[in-house]
Amino acid sequence: MAEFTMELNDEQKEVRDWLHGFAADVIRPAAAEWDEREETPWPVIQEAAKVGIYSLDFYAQQYFDATGLGIPMAMEELFWGDAGIALSIVGTGLAAVGVLANGTEEQIGTWIPQMYGDPSDVKVAAFCSSEPDAGSDVASMRTRAVYDEAKDEWVINGTKTWATNGGIANVHVVVASVDPELGSKGHASFIVPPGTPGLTQGQKFKKHGIRASHTAEVVLDGVRLPGSCLLGGKEKLDERLARAREKARKGGERVKNAAMATFEASRPAVGAMAVGTARAAYEVALDYARTREQFGRPIIDNQGVAFQLADMRTQIDAARLLVWRASWMTVNGRPFEAAEGSMSKLFASETAKKVTAQAIQILGGNGYTREYPVERMHRDAAIYTIFEGTSEIQRLVISRTISGMPIR
């Protein structure tokens, strides 16, 4: 087990500087254009693939970093560049985590490479969990998977929404209910291979922020999948469902479902994304405050501005430390006894919203225009308190964990 550290080692620093250079030289110059176009930035993803950032090998290396700091360090630097483009680059990772969290070794080896493609033909993947009537309330999921024993096939029907890369993905990971009576404990995850009949893209959403990231509905109409596409396999699912039914009969709780296993593993990473956006806005505001003069002196000479910057930096550093702690705990198998993963996402998300708003205030009228990037950063930051569990849901998870009570 690696000791917890607040210092990156030499190899990690080298990777961080490499990512920072890509974010500064490739992502940032393209950010405003793809935000306006509201399209997937395929050329930037391809450039990321060419240099090795958009690849299974790179993410595996960071994911299995014994210190736990590989993924949060990478997320922070890429999202420092631009949240929309960075999400297009890393969005496939959520689907990959879904397979890693629930799949067999054979499934991991078969499907994750197909999620990325190669530098000459890049692909993306989508994780499909939320539904029009089941976002935070995962127990209300209506997408149904029914097993056809005679053909060893699963038949899936339903509609997913808010799916990053939904419809344009090469591989979709879909969470569906296999036993509605068990609520969220009766869910399972499935691989939908490329070109599977019955899967289509619904509406593409026009969003407030992260506009360079494709978000859409995914419609599943009689999608038939071979039994091998059930993540983890039928035997493992049957055992889990049997335990859930037994616990239900005894009035028990706490059987994890497929979607929540994925979100629990990814929450610190989302926190790191928020830290990157907050840091970017803070740096713009700090530079502006040093150079912008009013009444014959730089505005940073005024306590009203300087104190805001002091609070911004303090909150960013505190958020990063919470993210790093949760990431280290995840990699080293430490249980989230106080919902530390949710803590990291909650605090970092709220920090990003607050810091980007303060950055606009410091820039004044300039901050409200698209001539400066803080306006875009503020729009992007709003998503962190919503996706992969709203701030309200994080507070619910934390309060239930620390109290042991079924708070509603």
Side-chain angles (χ1 to χ4, degrees):
M1 179 183 296
E3 292 184 0
F4 178 70
T5 177
M6 294 185 289
E7 184 69 32
L8 299 177
N9 60 40
D10 290 341
E11 183 179 349
Q12 290 167 329
K13 289 177 181 177
E14 185 176 339
V15 173
R16 178 199 61 192
D17 294 345
W18 171 54
L19 291 169
H20 187 81
F22 184 85
D25 298 339
V26 180
I27 294 178
R28 279 205 168 177
E33 174 189 350
W34 291 99
D35 177 70
E36 292 287 347
R37 291 175 64 167
E38 298 190 55
E39 297 174 359
T40 301
W42 291 107
V44 183
I45 299 174
Q46 189 168 34
E47 285 301 311
K50 286 179 180 178
V51 300
I53 293 173
Y54 186 76
S55 70
L56 171 60
D57 288 344
F58 173 73
Y59 286 106
Q61 182 181 8
Q62 305 312 313
Y63 186 84
F64 292 109
D65 181 344
T67 69
L69 303 185
I71 287 293
M73 176 267 296
M75 295 298 125
E76 180 176 337
E77 293 305 326
L78 292 173
F79 280 74
W80 172 90
D82 176 68
I85 291 178
L87 191 57
S88 289
I89 294 173
V90 308
T92 293
L94 185 59
V97 168
V99 176
L100 286 168
N102 301 294
T104 64
E105 289 187 11
E106 182 179 358
Q107 289 169 329
I108 291 169
T110 299
W111 295 110
I112 293 184
Q114 294 187 48
M115 293 179 174
Y116 289 94
D118 59 63
S120 63
D121 185 22
V122 294
K123 306 293 185 183
V124 295
F127 183 76
C128 308
S129 177
S130 294
E131 298 185 0
D133 297 316
S136 298
D137 183 12
V138 293
S140 297
M141 188 176 292
R142 295 181 180 178
T143 297
R144 185 77 193 277
V146 178
Y147 185 57
D148 184 342
E149 190 170 359
K151 296 183 178 180
D152 185 26
E153 290 182 339
W154 289 91
V155 184
I156 303 181
N157 288 281
T159 299
K160 295 296 181 179
T161 193
W162 311 122
T164 299
N165 298 328
I168 66 171
N170 193 48
V171 176
H172 290 76
V173 177
V174 175
V175 181
S177 174
V178 296
D179 189 336
E181 292 184 1
L182 291 175
S184 62
K185 303 174 192 65
H187 295 172
S189 291
F190 299 85
I191 290 285
V192 182
T196 299
L199 185 148
T200 57
Q201 179 183 310
Q203 68 167 317
K204 176 187 174 183
F205 296 104
K206 296 180 72 67
K207 305 189 298 296
H208 176 66
I210 55 167
R211 294 176 178 175
S213 174
H214 175 96
T215 309
E217 288 184 332
V218 174
V219 180
L220 303 112
D221 184 8
V223 171
R224 299 190 74 92
L225 303 173
S228 60
C229 286
L230 167 65
L231 288 178
K234 185 77 164 50
E235 183 177 347
K236 184 177 178 181
L237 173 65
D238 288 343
E239 292 175 356
R240 179 166 63 81
L241 294 177
R243 290 196 305 271
R245 294 183 186 112
E246 182 64 23
K247 284 182 178 290
R249 280 194 293 269
K250 294 180 179 180
E253 279 285 343
R254 303 297 291 175
V255 177
K256 288 183 181 178
N257 66 78
M260 296 313 294
T262 300
F263 290 141
E264 190 169 298
S266 65
R267 276 172 181 158
V270 176
M273 298 173 189
V275 170
T277 299
R279 191 184 111 211
Y282 158 76
E283 290 177 1
V284 172
L286 177 62
D287 183 65
Y288 186 88
R290 284 170 169 167
T291 57
R292 172 70 167 175
E293 291 193 0
Q294 290 286 283
F295 305 105
R297 60 180 183 174
I299 62 173
I300 199 170
D301 281 357
N302 299 307
Q303 285 187 357
V305 173
F307 285 8
Q308 282 195 75
L309 289 163
D311 286 343
M312 292 159 75
R313 176 60 185 266
T314 300
Q315 290 159 359
I316 291 167
D317 282 12
R320 183 184 296 109
L321 289 174
L322 284 171
V323 167
W324 282 16
R325 180 184 68 170
S327 300
W328 174 82
M329 292 177 70
T330 299
V331 169
N332 287 281
R334 294 289 186 91
F336 287 159
E337 294 179 353
E340 288 87 350
S342 289
M343 282 185 185
S344 68
K345 181 187 182 294
L346 170 64
F347 191 81
S349 298
E350 296 292 342
T351 293
K353 282 187 68 174
K354 184 175 181 179
V355 166
T356 53
Q358 288 175 303
I360 290 177
Q361 194 68 25
I362 290 171
L363 270 66
N366 287 328
Y368 199 65
T369 71
R370 295 190 182 181
E371 295 300 313
Y372 288 80
V374 291
E375 174 271 340
R376 184 179 68 251
M377 293 168 183
H378 184 52
R379 287 189 284 108
D380 292 340
I383 194 60
Y384 299 127
T385 63
I386 299 172
F387 73 174
E388 293 199 49
T390 64
S391 287
E392 291 74 22
I393 287 296
Q394 305 309 326
R395 292 184 175 98
L396 185 64
V397 171
I398 295 165
S399 61
R400 284 178 174 176
T401 303
I402 63 177
S403 70
M405 302 296 289
I407 298 167
R408 298 187 183 281

